[in-house]
Amino acid sequence: MKIAVIGQSLFGREVYRELLKEGHQVVGVFTIPDKNGKADPLGADAEKDGIPVFKFPRWRVKGQAIPEVVEKYKALEAELNVLPFCSQFIPMEVIDCPKHGSIIYHPSILPRHRGASAINWTLMQGDKIGGFTVFWADDGLDTGDILLQRQCEVLPDDMVNTIYNRFLFPEGVKGMVEAVRLIAEGNAPRIKQPTEGATYDPMQKKENAKINWDQPAEDIHNFIRGNDKVPGAWTVVDDQQLTFFGSSFTRNGPAPDGQPLEIPGASRPALVTKTGLVLFGNDGERLTVKNIQFEDGKMIPASQYFKTADSAALQLSEEEQKVSEEIRAAWRRILTNVSEIEDSTDFFKAGAASMDVVRLVEEVKLKCNGLQLQNEDVYMATKFEEFIQMVVRRMRGEDGEEELVIDYVEKEINNMTVKIPHQLFINGQFMDAEGGKSYDTINPTDGTAICKVSLAQISDIDRAVAAAKEAFENGEWGKMNPRDRGRLLYRLADLMEEHQEELATIESIDSGAVYTLALKTHVGMSIQTFRYFAGWCDKIQGRTIPINQARPNRNLTFTRREPIGVCGIVIPWNYPLMMLAWKTAACLTAGNTVVLKPAQVTPLTALKFAELSVKAGIPKGVINILPGAGSLIGQRLSDHPDVRKIGFTGSTPIGKQIMKSCAVSNVKKVSLELGGKSPLIIFHDCDLDKAVRMGMSSVFFNKGENCIAAGRLFLEESIHDEFVKRVVEEVKKMKIGDPLDRSTDHGPQNHKAHLDKLIEYCQTGVKEGGKLVYGGKQVERPGFFFEPTIFTDVTDEMFIAKEESFGPVMIISKFNDGDIDGVLKRANDSEFGLASGVFTKDINKALYVSEKLQAGTVFVNTYNKTDVAAPFGGFKQSGFGKDLGEEALNEYLKTKAVTIEY
């Protein structure tokens, strides 16, 4: 179809590019005149492609079409006009001229918010649903028949930029292309706009963006975010106009400490705090703004309102002087209308636009060894001299990212001061959940609350996914060299090691893990995991593949291993930090970003990990941590269209639900580590001392809360009685007690519901005829302690023979001497296949049994011997996919084949 594109901006350029890809003929592009010597992106691209480009300053004079302009347009014989974004008034002689008429993009769900400031008003009105409309142009103002509409949720803290970048821009481009496709196919509808709900909203200008303080805080928040960037909501303080940017709304909770700032008309003084400027509505609720702009255009972090300007200007070294001149040259290339860049030259007053900000950030990155500025940094230092001072400070490491504000819970415990974050971690910041929702996390040693933890809501999940998507698609992480990514992960591992005692203490009080085990395994293996995968970052490689040549030409085919995108990770409560590390390390190594849900009952080490990730320099948005309910967070991540992979460790029924949701939503990639009932076969020709020792470890390690715990021991009949006798003797020696006591062998179970489940499990075993040799009861003391338990005479049909206890319960069954195939049949008669083990001195027997056992891991004359370099994962209903080792990377990569003909 022959198309005329009428409009401007990056949005217009992307629509133009996609129309060309669809095979349409763009016969002409009509855009705005060059500004300060720079062409609009749409016109610039079209000129490069050799498309006729027209830059009429106007189409009409005194309401009448200019004949020469209309004639030039008609000469192109377009069949359809596409107006992706157009700030000019186009006469009806042009609108109605083509065979198919004209279609226009509008960033609201018409008939609501007609007018040029639709996005602003969507936010200012507090709409919960936003979106865009593609409509047929008529002689009214945004009143034409609807061709198609697309909706999105408006997040509580969305601003014009965030909703535009997240949905209105990318989906709007797709929507325009789809609309043209429908027209070309003859299937484009014309739906008359309803009159009910129609609004026309005036254009937002500086003069009508003054804040009215006599309204609720949420309305003030909506007004500020609706005016964010352009034109900017403002008020007057001390006879000076202040414009506010970056608003977030907070429900409930006490106001933070800060220095008061009187604002005329406000119900109470604002507070300048570490997180920004806290403002109050007439309902007593509050909002926080991040940045303040003064009348002269200078912008500062709101938290620095009362701080004096930086001390004396830096004296630049000879090398820094060279960098300064290179950046001055970059300014000169961008500001082509300015003859000389003086120290006092203001970037924006000299004509720079938002596109130029992006270009300047990239220029600095090239000239300053990869120094990554944010767009916001340019707005904070608009004059050349200020900009250079800021860049040099960043290069010297004196002026990095804004301070991470953490509302710690501090506890004096285990001979140290433990500082525990307890809020959600989203986009590099700790924050309360929507509505201030929270819950108690419980210390299983005594059943008391450790602290309140933020309880993530749907809007928090969506905000975290949006942050992860932005970090992946547009942030520093996605552009980073793999070796630099590895360097950050090594740094993160070093920080975890520096804080290992604190991490182990938090793990102990939150999960009940014995401190010495937490230090060695929970934390120690987590550190090893990050170091192992950090080394893989620059070793993820594709292959060249010989294919049949397209004679007389030749072909080169190669593969690329690429990250998937935003990954949702859901982990269990038995090894809170280690399960995080097993999945997250591989995920980050591959270059993905992550939204992680720790178990609701054990969130604290994940939040401490988030703090360390910031200190390691992991860019914001790469890691997001959401404590809360699995039924809400896990389900939303599984359903979310922007999440491309789910890694889950947990129960088989939940794994099935996640797999189903991933398939229905957007066919996500999934890896599942699910339930187990791991068999351990002990033959009479084993080293019995070692078999007893390792058999106990296979069951009682980490209080039995172990994915690969031996769920059933098969003992050859001739050693059965002796083995049971020795195990009972050893179990009686185990010290049950406070996990922080270095002499404790066996701590409390993780939480009350699990303790109750274990009691019921053992009662069922006794009812079915299992012989309870030892334990089976709750320990008479505060907390969630359960006795190490031993059952014998367990037959194959019993519940306890088939189902996992996930606790310190040893299930023992006999098999006849020499009946190898018989015991293998019984061991494999399970829908689970996570791990298994065999003890024998006969190497032939060991190899035969290890070959026949249907499990993802087989231990021979050992147990629980996992290593970061060895793949880990199950068969059958124990799941699929691998953690650890090189194979784990495959779970977080996709393979692309590229074929070149030459």
Side-chain angles (χ1 to χ4, degrees), residues 580-856:
L580 176 153
W582 281 21
K583 288 181 170 17
T584 304
C587 175
L588 297 177
T589 293
N592 301 288
T593 57
V594 63
V595 179
L596 181 137
K597 191 205 87 67
Q600 185 169 358
V601 291
T602 54
L604 298 183
T605 43
L607 295 171
K608 189 67 181 180
F609 168 83
E611 175 195 341
L612 298 180
S613 75
V614 176
K615 293 180 178 178
I618 305 292
K620 65 180 184 180
V622 173
I623 295 171
N624 304 273
I625 309 289
L626 299 176
S631 57
L632 182 75
I633 304 172
Q635 188 63 54
R636 179 58 178 159
L637 290 175
S638 301
D639 292 338
H640 203 294
D642 290 332
V643 176
R644 291 295 173 183
K645 155 76 196 232
I646 292 288
F648 172 75
T649 296
S651 73
T652 297
I654 299 300
K656 290 179 178 180
Q657 176 60 40
I658 284 176
M659 191 172 176
K660 179 180 178 181
S661 297
C662 289
V664 171
S665 59
N666 58 350
V667 196
K668 290 177 179 64
K669 190 172 184 177
V670 188
S671 55
L672 304 171
E673 195 245 284
L674 307 176
K677 187 67 175 174
S678 301
L680 173 57
I681 303 172
I682 301 178
F683 290 99
H684 77 276
D685 59 352
C686 68
D687 177 340
L688 191 58
D689 289 338
K690 184 176 184 181
V692 169
R693 187 172 68 254
M694 300 305 297
M696 288 185 59
S697 174
S698 75
V699 175
F700 302 126
F701 188 81
N702 200 48
K703 311 161 292 173
E705 296 168 353
N706 188 18
C707 306
I708 57 173
R712 192 175 180 192
L713 275 63
F714 292 94
L715 303 180
E716 204 159 9
E717 190 168 11
S718 57
I719 61 166
H720 174 274
D721 293 348
E722 179 64 19
F723 183 95
V724 172
K725 175 175 170 288
R726 292 198 193 185
V727 166
V728 171
E729 289 173 353
E730 293 301 317
V731 166
K732 288 179 179 179
K733 300 175 186 176
M734 293 174 64
K735 179 180 177 181
I736 301 172
D738 183 350
L740 294 177
D741 184 337
R742 305 307 193 264
S743 64
T744 294
D745 299 304
H746 188 81
Q749 304 309 135
N750 188 276
H751 52 280
K752 180 65 163 59
H754 182 52
L755 173 65
D756 294 341
K757 178 185 171 185
L758 287 174
I759 295 170
E760 182 181 356
Y761 183 91
C762 291
Q763 290 171 346
T764 301
V766 171
K767 287 178 184 177
E768 289 189 332
K771 184 178 179 181
L772 181 61
V773 176
Y774 189 86
K777 303 186 299 297
Q778 181 176 357
V779 179
E780 292 296 329
R781 58 172 291 164
F784 310 139
F785 290 86
F786 189 76
E787 295 176 334
T789 299
I790 303 170
F791 275 96
T792 61
D793 297 344
V794 176
T795 54
D796 295 350
E797 76 284 354
M798 290 182 183
F799 175 82
I800 61 173
K802 296 183 290 185
E803 295 298 325
E804 181 180 32
S805 71
F806 212 66
V809 183
M810 182 178 283
I811 306 296
I812 297 176
S813 299
K814 296 179 187 177
F815 68 95
N816 295 330
D817 286 3
D819 188 10
I820 299 175
D821 289 327
V823 74
L824 279 170
K825 182 178 179 181
R826 295 170 68 191
N828 288 328
D829 185 21
S830 169
E831 274 299 301
F832 301 111
L834 187 56
S836 60
V838 55
F839 277 80
T840 177
K841 294 178 181 177
D842 185 339
I843 187 63
N844 295 316
K845 188 188 297 181
L847 290 172
Y848 178 77
V849 171
S850 64
E851 177 186 335
K852 295 298 183 181
L853 283 169
Q854 299 169 5

